[in-house]
Amino acid sequence: MAQLELGKPEERRKPQRRVNGIFWVILLNLGIYVADHVFQVRGIKNLYLYHNFPEWYQFLTATFCHANWNHLSSNLFFLYIFGKLVEEEEGNFALWLSYILTGVGANLVSWLVLPRNAVSVGASGAVFGLFTISVLVKMSWDWRKILEVLILGQFVIEKVMDAAQASTALSGPFRGGHALQSINHIAHLSGALVGVLLVWLLRKVPSDSPDQ
């Protein structure tokens, strides 16, 4: 799937970049999950996004926290696929920037829209953002590419929704009577929209390349 032909002709393609950043993103998600659910480190719960009185850092740290293994494993699968595509095309810094901005943007919108007793966790907003970015930076107006994107997009949405549904096992009360948000459709849509905005802004930046 990482070799999907979504974009530029062979002769115009950028040289393949060395991919390291996505593995650090995955390791960070895994490390926080192990600390939270295996070793049950008490302070990890403070990284969740509590909508009633959120700390500023929780909008970021909640993107690395997950409700259970099914929730995490599905997100890691798509993070690897789409994060790798973004990193190969745009580089390590762009990957981290995309993950952070789409994840934080999704959590910010969730906080504004969802009930005050909700708790948000998960990388799903960032997953949708990276999916959108990986598609838009490579997509061309070829009906075969568009069909490919539609098929893959439907698959991504279905699997991420299934993973989010698995988090209902932890939908009981959290700190201060908060309830875990089991399926945060707002975060999914917001992450995708932030991804679209990022690509639009990048295309507005002047380039010295003769191909632009």
Side-chain angles (χ1 to χ4, degrees):
M1 293 176 70
Q3 304 301 321
L4 287 171
E5 297 296 330
L6 293 177
K8 302 174 183 176
E10 189 72 31
E11 64 274 9
R12 295 181 57 195
R13 233 176 254 160
K14 296 178 182 178
Q16 190 173 49
R17 298 172 186 265
R18 187 177 178 184
V19 175
N20 286 318
I22 188 57
F23 293 105
W24 287 108
V25 173
I26 288 172
L27 283 174
L28 187 54
N29 276 274
L30 277 170
I32 291 178
Y33 176 84
V34 170
D36 189 10
H37 296 280
V38 178
F39 295 107
Q40 298 184 344
V41 177
R42 292 179 61 185
I44 298 297
K45 292 290 191 291
N46 293 327
L47 303 180
Y48 292 11
L49 176 58
Y50 295 90
H51 289 219
N52 195 9
F53 294 106
E55 300 289 345
W56 64 268
Y57 58 83
Q58 291 174 350
F59 291 96
L60 172 61
T61 57
T63 66
F64 296 98
C65 302
H66 289 82
N68 54 38
W69 176 251
N70 287 337
H71 189 203
L72 172 68
S73 61
S74 180
N75 277 340
L76 291 188
F77 175 72
F78 292 115
L79 278 176
Y80 174 74
I81 293 173
F82 302 122
K84 187 169 182 286
L85 286 172
V86 171
E87 188 173 8
E88 285 177 346
E89 186 70 16
E90 303 297 334
N92 182 288
F93 177 76
L95 166 68
W96 280 99
L97 185 66
S98 299
Y99 182 96
I100 291 171
L101 291 182
T102 56
V104 170
N107 280 334
L108 180 60
V109 175
S110 298
W111 174 66
L112 292 171
V113 173
L114 294 177
R116 295 296 91 182
N117 69 333
V119 179
S120 292
V121 293
S124 299
V127 165
F128 274 78
L130 290 172
F131 166 67
T132 302
I133 292 169
S134 67
V135 167
L136 292 180
V137 297
K138 288 190 171 188
M139 189 172 177
S140 62
W141 291 109
D142 183 317
W143 70 269
R144 291 167 297 186
K145 312 304 178 188
I146 295 174
L147 180 61
E148 203 170 53
V149 168
L150 291 174
I151 294 172
L152 180 59
Q154 178 271 333
F155 175 75
V156 172
I157 292 170
E158 178 183 347
K159 295 304 179 184
V160 172
M161 293 300 140
D162 287 346
Q165 183 69 54
S167 70
T168 55
L170 292 180
S171 60
F174 270 68
R175 186 182 71 185
H178 292 78
L180 186 71
Q181 183 65 25
S182 59
I183 304 182
N184 193 342
H185 301 292
I186 298 295
H188 299 157
L189 178 60
S190 302
L193 291 177
V194 173
V196 172
L197 179 61
L198 282 176
V199 173
W200 180 80
L201 290 174
L202 286 174
R203 288 180 175 174
K204 292 295 182 181
V205 176
S207 173
D208 295 330
S209 171
D211 291 333
Q212 299 297 321

